[in-house]
């Protein structure tokens, strides 16, 4: 597949400049940072290829141009925020920052967000907590494009969950970030844009049949990560949707198909390690856990054993040095999006392949 390599800094500036044409500059920067961070980690399903879809919903009046986050309830260790149909990333960063502050003061903090929109990768938010020495938790519900295990009618989103574990100052945190589906629907979007088939087991058609055609999969439904993924998706839907006062299950409009605000919910948590165990002791034991994992003898066909999120963090370091590969189809889509807002993508490209 042909691609263009763009430096992280250039891609960030382009994305921010496009968003700043219609959003407050601070919000444009936050959203651009979350999108490019996903691409830097190699999570292209949640990177800048989402930009045109976000802006389309905003232009159609399905998302607000400015995110007005209001506190609905607040206690020592909990809070609920209303995003008022603003940008999910902006509301999510604020929610995690509040959760972290509560954890610093009271040991734990959990903050729910209602009436929100797609908020990118959960990794971004849990990493914020881990960087400050807290265990971070993030989850969100999503459009019902996934069937429960054994069903052919959708009532769940892929409903991802992330947990980040700090490992000590200057060290990479351990970050689990998993979709409850076999695959993030964004990967099907990427395959559709690049006209490439998808693996078996990712999705079914709207009639309930297996498919490797990305267009049929896009019109159909993704499959859960077995019965455990299905069960976890249901729990995340309850915690993110019902508990926060947001829509849930079949009520949520499909992000790219239904002309209604999504009104999804998110839940964020931060836990202060020192309220449970001496941090020094914690970090020493976590390091032992890391070593016993990564030094395990690998099975045939594997080069080594990795910790959760390690590959993505390695890729992020590589991206910072070598740039981010953008497929030609996504590049052309970004170019067209930029032109719509008077921004020339070619002026930001530093290296091409």
């Amino acid at each position: 597949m042909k691609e263009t390599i763009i430096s992280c800094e250039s891609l960030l500036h382009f994305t921010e400049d496009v968003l700043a044409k219609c959003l407050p500059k601070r919000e444009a920067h936050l959203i651009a940072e979350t999108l490019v961070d996903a691409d830097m980690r190699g999570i292209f399903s949640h990177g800048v290829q989402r930009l045109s879809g976000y802006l389309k919903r905003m232009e159609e009046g399905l998302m607000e141009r400015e995110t007005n986050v209001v506190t609905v309830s607040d206690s020592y260790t909990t809070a609920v925020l209303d995003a008022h149909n603003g940008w999910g990333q902006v509301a999510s960063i604020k929610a995690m920052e509040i959760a972290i502050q509560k954890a610093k003061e009271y040991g734990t903090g959990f903050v729910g967000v209602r009436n929100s929109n797609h908020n990118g990768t959960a990794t971004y938010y849990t990493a914020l907590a881990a960087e400050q020495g807290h265990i971070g938790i993030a989850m969100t519900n999503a459009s019902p494009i996934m069937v429960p295990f054994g069903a052919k009618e959708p009532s769940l989103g892929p409903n991802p969950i992330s947990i980040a574990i700090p490992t000590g100052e200057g060290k990479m945190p351990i970050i689990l970030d998993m979709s409850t589906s076999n695959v993030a629907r964004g990967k099907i979007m990427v395959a559709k844009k690049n006209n490439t088939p998808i693996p078996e087991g990712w999705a079914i058609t709207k009639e309930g049949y297996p498919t490797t055609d990305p267009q049929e999969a896009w019109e159909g439904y993704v499959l859960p990560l077995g019965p455990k993924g299905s069960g976890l998706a249901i729990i995340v839907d309850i915690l993110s949707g019902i508990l926060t006062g947001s829509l849930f299950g079949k009520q949520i409009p499909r992000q790219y198909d239904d002309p209604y605000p999504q009104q999804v919910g998110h839940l964020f948590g931060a836990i202060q390690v020192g309220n449970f165990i001496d941090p020094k002791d914690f970090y020493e034991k976590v390091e032992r856990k890391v070593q016993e994992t990564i030094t395990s003898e690998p099975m045939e066909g594997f080069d080594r054993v990795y910790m959760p999120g390690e590959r993505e963090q390695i890729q992020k370091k590589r991206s910072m040095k070598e740039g981010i590969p953008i497929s030609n189809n996504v590049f052309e889509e970004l170019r067209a999006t930029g032109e719509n807002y008077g921004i020339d993508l070619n002026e930001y490209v530093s290296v091409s392949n």
Side-chain angles (χ1 to χ4, degrees):
M1 183 189 304
K2 294 183 178 180
E3 58 189 23
T4 299
I5 307 297
I6 304 179
S7 73
C8 301
E9 184 178 12
S10 295
L11 189 59
L12 177 63
H13 287 163
F14 167 78
T15 307
E16 182 177 348
D17 288 349
V18 171
L19 288 165
K21 288 290 185 176
C22 47
L23 300 177
K25 187 168 181 60
R26 176 182 175 276
E27 293 192 17
H29 175 72
L30 292 177
I31 297 163
E33 195 171 65
T34 64
L35 293 175
V36 175
D37 182 77
D39 283 324
M40 290 171 69
R41 295 175 186 271
I43 311 172
F44 301 111
S45 60
H46 287 63
V48 295
Q49 68 106 8
R50 293 266 181 178
L51 182 62
S52 63
Y54 284 161
L55 290 170
K56 182 175 184 291
R57 286 184 62 82
M58 183 202 69
E59 296 289 0
E60 292 174 348
L62 302 177
M63 288 171 55
E64 298 299 324
R65 290 177 179 264
E66 185 171 355
T67 307
N68 179 30
V69 182
V70 174
T71 302
V72 177
S73 64
D74 191 21
S75 74
Y76 291 124
T77 58
T78 65
V80 176
L81 309 180
D82 192 323
H84 284 97
N85 197 35
W87 290 69
Q89 289 90 339
V90 178
S92 296
I93 290 171
K94 182 170 184 176
M96 182 53 92
E97 288 175 344
I98 294 173
I100 293 169
Q101 186 58 42
K102 289 181 180 296
K104 287 181 178 179
E105 295 182 27
Y106 305 108
T108 61
F110 281 86
V111 180
V113 179
R114 65 176 59 162
N115 296 327
S116 188
N117 287 284
H118 189 274
N119 67 346
T121 63
T123 287
Y124 187 87
Y125 311 110
T126 56
L128 293 177
E131 287 166 4
Q132 298 193 44
H134 293 70
I135 294 171
I137 301 169
M139 62 188 78
T140 183
N141 65 1
S143 303
I145 49 86
M146 185 174 86
V147 295
F149 184 73
K152 65 177 184 179
E153 179 183 1
S155 62
L156 293 169
N159 299 354
I161 181 170
S162 175
I163 300 174
I165 309 294
T167 58
E169 187 174 351
K171 295 184 179 181
M172 292 191 304
I174 301 165
I175 305 179
L176 170 72
D177 187 344
M178 58 172 285
S179 171
T180 54
S181 61
N182 273 342
V183 66
R185 192 174 184 235
K187 290 188 177 181
I188 296 176
M189 182 196 299
V190 173
K192 184 168 71 76
K193 289 178 179 179
N194 294 327
N195 299 312
T196 56
I198 62 172
E200 293 183 8
W202 275 19
I204 57 176
T205 66
K206 57 186 176 182
E207 293 80 21
Y209 299 106
T211 183
T212 59
D213 184 303
Q215 183 62 44
E216 289 184 344
W218 185 255
E219 295 171 357
Y221 317 115
V222 296
L223 292 168
L225 192 60
K228 294 180 181 179
S230 179
L232 184 56
I234 292 169
I235 297 302
V236 172
D237 201 14
I238 293 170
L239 294 177
S240 299
I242 296 176
L243 185 65
T244 65
S246 298
L247 296 185
F248 63 94
K250 292 183 178 180
Q251 299 176 354
I252 302 174
R254 285 172 64 127
Q255 183 181 5
Y256 295 100
D257 303 303
D258 297 328
Y260 307 104
Q262 281 196 289
Q263 299 183 58
V264 297
H266 322 302
L267 183 65
F268 302 93
I271 300 172
Q272 187 181 142
V273 171
N275 274 39
F276 290 81
I277 184 174
D278 179 82
K280 182 179 179 181
D281 189 25
F282 177 79
Y283 293 140
E284 288 176 352
K285 290 177 178 177
V286 167
E287 179 59 26
R288 281 163 51 192
K289 183 61 188 174
V290 170
Q291 290 304 316
E292 74 176 19
T293 302
I294 66 175
T295 59
S296 300
E297 185 176 353
M299 293 174 58
E300 185 177 348
F302 291 83
D303 58 347
R304 52 157 292 200
V305 180
Y306 293 85
M307 291 299 291
E310 185 181 359
R311 288 178 180 272
E312 289 78 9
Q313 292 179 86
I314 291 172
Q315 179 58 49
K316 183 173 181 177
K317 289 184 176 180
R318 183 180 298 122
S319 296
M320 293 173 70
K321 293 180 180 179
E322 302 175 4
I324 298 170
I326 303 294
S327 72
N328 280 6
N329 288 345
V330 173
F331 184 89
E332 291 304 319
E333 182 177 88
L334 288 175
R335 190 208 302 274
T337 299
E339 288 178 354
N340 288 339
Y341 293 91
I343 303 293
D344 184 0
L345 175 58
N346 289 323
E347 294 181 2
Y348 297 78
V349 178
S350 57
V351 183
S352 296
N353 280 344

